[in-house]
Amino acid sequence: MATLEIEITPPLKEKLELYCRLHDVYSALLTEKQNNCFSLYYLEDLSMSEIGEIIGITPQGVADQLKRSTKLLQGYEKKLGFLERQNNLAEKAGELAKMVDKLLGNSPYDANLLKLKDLIGELCDGI
């Protein structure tokens, strides 16, 4: 029996990635039920029927929770902007890392530049 592979179109894939990143940042602001539905649907890839059986609500109830959750996550980002700031910091840290690498090319043993490179790496890991 052949398996059916579904290709996720780039806009849908980007939307899923955005939802997951928003959830990483703002999940503490959702209710337990909203978090459970979101995680089981978007992260565990379960169907709404399967989630409904696990949580004890109807598939329509799951759909409502997902709709509410994604709307809330988008609203939190619109008001608070943490994800956008995180993206900006990551971009600037990447630019700094490139500049330090360029400077290290001229003097590969400069202790201050090596320390700066380490600090930028730590900053990137924390973003």
Side-chain angles (χ1 to χ4, degrees), residues 87-113:
N87 290 340
N88 289 338
L89 282 173
E91 185 178 315
K92 294 197 184 319
E95 290 174 20
L96 280 172
K98 287 179 186 175
M99 291 171 72
V100 168
D101 283 341
K102 188 174 181 180
L103 291 171
L104 280 171
N106 297 332
S107 55
Y109 303 107
D110 186 323
N112 288 328
L113 288 175

Side-chain angles (χ1 to χ4, degrees), residues 2-22:
T3 59
L4 176 65
E5 291 212 16
I6 300 172
E7 185 176 330
I8 298 176
T9 60
L12 181 57
K13 185 176 181 180
E14 289 171 11
K15 189 175 185 178
L16 292 173
E17 288 174 2
L18 174 63
Y19 284 166
C20 289
R21 293 191 66 212
L22 288 172

Side-chain angles (χ1 to χ4, degrees), residues 41-88:
Y41 186 76
Y42 288 106
L43 305 177
E44 301 295 326
D45 199 28
L46 296 181
S47 72
M48 291 186 198
S49 296
E50 292 169 319
I51 297 167
E53 287 178 23
I54 293 169
I55 296 179
I57 59 177
T58 65
Q60 183 59 48
V62 173
D64 292 343
Q65 289 293 326
L66 291 171
K67 185 176 181 179
R68 191 174 302 118
S69 299
T70 54
K71 190 176 253 185
L72 283 169
L73 292 171
Q74 290 170 328
Y76 294 142
E77 177 59 20
K78 187 175 182 179
K79 290 176 185 172
L80 301 172
F82 290 136
L83 187 58
E84 183 179 352
R85 280 187 248 153
Q86 197 176 48
N87 290 340
N88 289 338

